[in-house]
Amino acid sequence: MSLLLTGATIIDGVSDGGAEGRSILVENGRITAIGRREDIAVPADAEIVDHSGRFVIPGLMNANVHLLVNALYETLVRYDGRYEDLITEAAQVALKAGLTTVFDTWGPRRALMAVRDRINRGETVGSRIRCAGNIVGFDGPFSGDFDGRIPGVGTSYFVDRVNAAWVENTGRHLMWLEPHEVAKEVRGYIERGIDFVKYASNEHGGIAAGAFLVFSERTQRAIVEEAHRAGLTAQAHATSVEGLRIAVDAGCDLVQHPNTTGPTAIPDDLLEQFARTGSGAAVFPVTENGLDFLKSSISDFEWTMWKASDANTRNLISAGANILLANDGGIFAPEVLQEPMIKGTWNGMPEEEALGRLATGHFVWLRAMEEKGMKPMDLLHAATRNIAKAYHVDDDLGTLEVGKIADMVVLDHDPLQGAKNYESIHAVIKDGVPVDLGALPEQRWLTAELAGPIEEEARYAKALHHGARLPGCPSCL
């Protein structure tokens, strides 16, 4: 298939600005020419689309998504054996929102790879997926690392089955092993077909709010070296200053949410080291409106952590760190977003401020970083070129250049005039083929509303909630 886009302003991610009135020729999925139309030899059978007055940018990327983030007990029971359906739906939601490539940094490896491969073969429409499978050193969804309420509620058989789908041989037991033994287990995991390695420098929340270290510096170096030996990139989950420092020292290609360091600011020497090494900083920013929402919803200690995170983000920008767009993006069942445990968190914000949504969170990210002083072209690079370089896929992706894969987003408004303009998506082109945005997602599973109320609900009388105070009862809490 040959495709010629004409008349648009091309913002290629290489030049300092946009070039007006240019054309892009695509043949067999790759860009073969960029320039004025009269200077391009156009095949006779090419489809020609006029985009005069519009703006063409490289396909957007997201450096940290979870295509099966809704890993709650109810969801995983309901869709047992059908994880691929949920992952496919999420990949199509991402593509519709202009994300032509996403990097899934935690999820069930086998299901992610199956959908990844179907998309790569052209059998399924969706954002291009690269996946890590499990975060090395973490246990599964039904564990203290994520949701420790479920063991003892679900059967041990189902709990173990779910955890095994995520963890395999890469869980918490690795913390007891010598570095060379951990490297051996990572090597076996790599051989199963993952695209990059993600490991835990810090633990995931828990009683220490993420401060505890999971692996020593020696072990982290061994993990990174094992990934690099296989030709893959390595990244760390870091949530403290020391966790971040060790990950950078270990040679990580990128670090997830490095702006999250508890109540402590990143010191100047580490900011400078981060910028000097060029390790990717996949920051999680919150808009000013989002911060106002959080301040009214969380404890004083949590607010101290969010304030430090915001200051860290601004300091990473000022230090010249290699910043990547990332947001833990996923899709959620509508009823889950109404749960009290979600409402007071960053995922419980109004959608226009909620960073963690797969369909809209990258737009929130761009607006938040604009508020914090990031320059317009730097925003574009963070959403495209920087991610491609950090994941070592920049030979094919990340900019609009002759020879590269033709992933493009057509916007009605100039993104260099305001981050809000990234939302003005007119068309998405992946692998040189225009995407039928109106058809996505092809099947709604997780995002579908539950069936209407059953007739019994109208007659349902709830008992007094535990902890409710009875009128005139001084002993009631």
Side-chain angles (χ1 to χ4, degrees):
M1 176 181 177
S2 297
L3 175 68
L4 182 72
L5 307 184
T6 67
T9 295
I10 307 299
I11 307 173
D12 59 17
V14 180
S15 309
D16 292 335
E20 296 182 11
R22 297 299 194 270
S23 297
I24 299 181
L25 179 63
V26 176
E27 297 178 277
N28 299 318
R30 290 188 179 263
I31 297 171
T32 56
I34 302 177
R36 297 193 180 279
R37 179 172 179 178
E38 58 267 25
D39 298 329
I40 297 176
V42 181
D45 62 346
E47 178 184 355
I48 300 174
V49 182
D50 183 12
H51 284 302
S52 296
R54 299 192 180 102
F55 302 83
V56 179
I57 62 173
L60 298 173
M61 296 176 155
N62 192 322
N64 185 338
V65 306
H66 305 300
L67 297 174
L68 185 42
V69 73
N70 201 133
L72 301 178
Y73 183 69
E74 177 183 335
T75 301
L76 298 185
V77 169
R78 187 187 306 172
Y79 295 101
D80 184 34
R82 296 173 53 204
Y83 295 168
E84 293 173 28
D85 289 339
L86 304 187
I87 292 167
T88 298
E89 179 186 9
Q92 294 179 349
V93 167
L95 184 59
K96 183 171 185 172
L99 295 167
T100 53
T101 301
V102 295
F103 296 86
D104 190 293
T105 68
W106 178 75
R109 176 195 60 80
R110 186 158 55 89
L112 284 164
M113 287 173 49
V115 178
R116 174 198 70 184
D117 294 346
R118 284 202 294 273
I119 291 172
N120 287 346
R121 291 192 299 265
E123 298 168 3
T124 300
V125 175
S127 183
R128 182 179 295 101
I129 298 171
R130 297 292 179 266
C131 61
N134 192 41
I135 300 172
V136 175
F138 282 173
D139 209 338
F142 300 158
S143 74
D145 286 323
F146 295 95
D147 192 348
R149 303 170 304 165
I150 305 307
V153 175
T155 65
S156 58
Y157 170 79
F158 187 70
V159 167
D160 287 348
R161 173 175 165 152
V162 167
N163 286 340
W166 265 256
V167 176
E168 300 183 68
N169 66 310
T170 65
R172 291 177 65 85
H173 72 286
L174 298 183
M175 291 190 290
W176 298 98
L177 304 183
E178 286 285 303
H180 72 276
E181 296 174 310
V182 175
K184 180 180 177 181
E185 295 301 316
V186 171
R187 188 181 316 135
Y189 198 57
I190 288 171
E191 289 171 353
R192 296 191 191 103
I194 60 173
D195 298 299
F196 58 93
V197 173
K198 182 180 181 183
Y199 71 87
S201 183
N202 291 98
E203 47 96 15
H204 193 256
I207 60 172
F212 288 163
L213 295 172
V214 173
F215 292 118
S216 68
E217 183 173 353
R218 289 175 61 229
T219 299
Q220 291 196 34
R221 286 185 181 276
I223 294 171
V224 172
E225 288 169 2
E226 196 61 48
H228 289 171
R229 188 176 294 113
L232 305 184
T233 59
Q235 61 180 261
H237 162 100
T239 51
S240 76
V241 169
E242 276 309 290
L244 175 58
R245 189 184 299 277
I246 293 174
V248 174
D249 286 343
C252 279
D253 299 280
L254 62 146
V255 180
Q256 294 294 348
H257 35 71
N259 56 313
T260 304
T261 54
T264 306
I266 302 172
D268 289 344
D269 69 307
L270 184 52
L271 288 169
E272 293 167 4
Q273 181 185 2
F274 212 156
R276 185 174 64 254
T277 61
S279 180
V283 301
F284 286 15
V286 178
T287 63
E288 293 302 310
N289 286 340
L291 288 170
D292 289 343
F293 173 89
L294 287 170
K295 187 175 183 179
S296 66
S297 306
I298 59 180
S299 68
D300 289 344
F301 175 67
E302 289 174 301
W303 176 239
T304 301
M305 298 174 76
W306 278 106
K307 284 196 299 183
S309 172
D310 188 65
N312 285 339
T313 300
R314 296 174 187 274
N315 291 338
L316 285 163
I317 294 171
S318 298
N322 180 30
I323 292 176
L324 319 178
L325 185 155
N327 71 335
D328 264 357
I331 61 174
F332 298 88
E335 67 273 13
V336 168
L337 293 174
Q338 303 305 314
E339 283 296 297
M341 68 175 182
I342 297 292
K343 279 188 173 181
T345 71
W346 67 330
N347 275 315
M349 295 182 192
E351 186 162 334
E352 61 271 18
E353 310 299 342
L355 183 67
R357 309 291 175 81
L358 187 60
T360 55
H362 50 301
F363 301 136
V364 176
W365 191 100
L366 291 160
R367 287 192 289 108
M369 294 300 277
E370 180 182 60
E371 290 177 352
K372 297 176 202 319
M374 205 165 180
K375 296 177 181 178
M377 189 57 74
D378 291 338
L379 289 174
L380 179 71
H381 290 163
T384 55
R385 187 177 76 177
N386 294 358
I387 298 175
K389 286 185 175 180
Y391 279 101
H392 297 180
V393 295
D394 51 311
D395 284 349
D396 286 322
L397 301 168
T399 57
L400 301 180
E401 298 180 80
V402 171
K404 289 197 173 184
I405 292 173
D407 283 3
M408 297 175 275
V409 176
V410 182
L411 302 173
D412 286 326
H413 304 296
D414 185 355
L416 302 182
Q417 295 301 312
K420 182 74 174 175
N421 290 342
Y422 281 93
E423 300 177 36
S424 65
I425 293 177
H426 181 86
V428 176
I429 296 160
K430 177 174 173 278
D431 291 316
V433 179
V435 177
D436 183 357
L437 301 181
L440 299 180
E442 294 173 331
Q443 177 66 56
R444 291 188 179 274
W445 299 109
L446 199 60
T447 58
E449 296 286 346
L450 286 177
I454 58 176
E455 62 176 276
E456 291 85 355
E457 286 185 77
R459 300 189 292 274
Y460 177 43
K462 287 187 178 182
L464 283 172
H465 188 274
H466 177 69
R469 180 183 292 274
L470 295 176
C473 177
S475 64
C476 292
L477 298 177

